[in-house]
Amino acid sequence: MQEVCKGTGAFHAIFFSRAQMKNYQSFGDRYRLEHGHPYDEHETFHEFLLISPSYRLAHLAANGQATDQSVIAGIEGWDSAVKTHELFGDIYSIPFLEWWDAIGRGLFYTLQADGTYTHQGPVKLLNNKINEATLREALCLVNDKARLQRREGKRIENWRLGVEVRLNSKWVELLQGDVKKTVSNDEARRALGALVSRKLNQALLIAENAARGKFPCDEPLNSRLEFDYTNQFEITDQALSLEQRSLRKRYASGMYVQKRHLAYLKPESKAKKQARLDRWAAKGKSDQKSD
């Protein structure tokens, strides 16, 4: 059974392996290529760059901020990370769709004479066995670990992260986030901790390969860098804030936004609002009775 993260991570990226399109295109494919809109995997690529230590370091170096040259000298594929940053640019200060309009579309698409687009851009996505669930889970674990460590003010053990995000594993059922170590649960803690550690290592490889222009890819790569969960929380929090403001503005202006965001962007109907208020009122009465 595939391990799937069920938690509420900062990002819920979606990836579908998309082979080279030949004779058949769905309506959605035709619409995207007609208008130059991104696929979910383009946004996922962008999100893995947001968690990549190499890409962050390349961004700091490109903007003249002090970087330890001895650290850079030991990073495998550093020149490739610099080239990727030259292509993708500053992904930290603008939301995804604005970045896509300014930069991303030209990386993944080619404009044709009739004003539509083809997939033949300078940056190619890889087609392999890394699937949607693996990518969603990886982003979830990294961003939730950053969030939980910020909330707790201390390092979160990997087994506890697995419990907190409700990783689909038999070991999770034997543990709770605040359970004390005992002889009976020691095996579960060690096994779940090892499982989460492997998944975080894979997440790092995917992020670091993305910083070298290869996505999705988890090939071994010794970047000698690790996730900085303190800084990652700040990066993710800023990205989410920028994204939410941008989506509301775009929706109000009639501009394109991804379909999955429409549910919360559309004004709430009177019936739904009343139903929500009724639930809150009922919950309040229930809480008073229990007191």
Side-chain angles (χ1 to χ4, degrees):
M1 180 180 292
Q2 177 123 25
E3 304 284 355
V4 178
C5 180
K6 296 181 179 179
T8 55
F11 291 108
H12 294 280
I14 300 176
F15 176 81
F16 298 99
S17 179
R18 193 178 305 280
Q20 292 292 332
M21 295 182 181
K22 296 182 180 179
N23 298 323
Y24 173 77
Q25 288 182 345
S26 69
F27 175 79
D29 292 328
R30 293 196 302 272
Y31 179 81
R32 285 184 174 88
L33 292 176
E34 180 180 349
H35 298 281
H37 295 327
Y39 285 92
D40 293 322
E41 50 261 46
H42 298 134
E43 187 169 7
T44 307
F45 195 157
H46 181 272
E47 290 170 357
F48 270 94
L49 290 179
L50 283 171
I51 68 170
S52 167
S54 289
Y55 196 89
R56 181 63 177 173
L57 194 58
H59 178 70
L60 295 175
N63 285 275
Q65 298 190 39
T67 52
D68 190 334
Q69 293 302 310
S70 64
V71 172
I72 289 176
I75 297 176
E76 180 182 342
W78 172 250
D79 289 343
S80 295
V82 171
K83 290 179 181 177
T84 300
H85 183 269
E86 290 174 351
L87 287 173
F88 284 72
D90 179 7
I91 61 172
Y92 303 102
S93 63
I94 57 175
F96 171 72
L97 285 177
E98 291 182 23
W99 172 86
W100 175 264
D101 289 340
I103 298 175
R105 184 181 291 112
L107 296 178
F108 295 100
Y109 291 164
T110 295
L111 181 63
Q112 301 184 104
D114 63 358
T116 63
Y117 295 85
T118 70
H119 289 285
Q120 308 304 314
V123 177
K124 309 294 183 183
L125 294 171
L126 302 180
N127 183 16
N128 53 39
K129 294 182 179 180
I130 300 178
N131 59 27
E132 170 195 354
T134 298
L135 295 170
R136 179 188 294 119
E137 180 182 76
L139 289 167
C140 172
L141 286 170
V142 173
N143 285 299
D144 270 1
K145 185 164 187 175
R147 176 182 59 82
L148 290 168
Q149 291 193 169
R150 174 61 175 259
R151 185 187 73 185
E152 300 292 329
K154 62 181 180 180
R155 178 181 174 274
I156 298 295
E157 293 179 277
N158 284 337
W159 70 266
R160 184 180 169 193
L161 174 63
V163 173
E164 289 277 354
V165 302
R166 295 184 296 130
L167 198 69
N168 188 5
S169 168
K170 65 179 182 179
W171 304 112
V172 172
E173 305 303 322
L174 303 176
L175 297 166
Q176 296 296 328
D178 59 351
V179 70
K180 294 182 179 180
K181 184 177 181 179
T182 65
V183 174
S184 61
N185 67 28
D186 182 59
E187 180 185 7
R189 287 164 61 113
R190 287 188 289 104
L192 184 58
L195 174 63
V196 172
S197 178
R198 291 195 299 272
K199 290 180 178 297
L200 287 172
N201 286 336
Q202 183 185 31
L204 180 62
L205 288 176
I206 295 172
E208 291 296 77
N209 275 288
R212 286 146 183 82
K214 297 188 293 184
F215 182 83
C217 178
D218 61 359
E219 293 177 355
L221 176 68
N222 184 18
S223 72
R224 298 189 179 183
L225 299 175
E226 298 179 350
F227 290 125
D228 182 341
Y229 292 104
T230 300
N231 285 335
Q232 189 57 51
F233 176 85
E234 302 295 339
I235 292 169
T236 300
D237 187 58
Q238 176 176 297
L240 284 172
S241 296
L242 289 171
E243 188 79 1
Q244 289 169 359
R245 289 197 297 270
S246 172
L247 289 172
R248 292 190 183 97
K249 182 177 179 180
R250 291 175 72 95
Y251 180 78
S253 301
M255 298 175 68
Y256 168 79
V257 299
Q258 300 96 316
K259 186 176 180 180
R260 64 180 179 277
H261 295 304
L262 294 178
Y264 78 87
L265 289 171
K266 289 181 178 179
E268 188 176 34
S269 68
K270 291 182 178 179
K272 288 185 176 180
K273 182 178 181 179
Q274 187 59 50
R276 175 168 55 81
L277 293 174
D278 290 344
R279 288 195 300 271
W280 284 355
K283 184 178 184 302
K285 291 179 181 179
S286 175
D287 291 343
Q288 289 176 0
K289 289 180 180 180
S290 63
D291 292 340

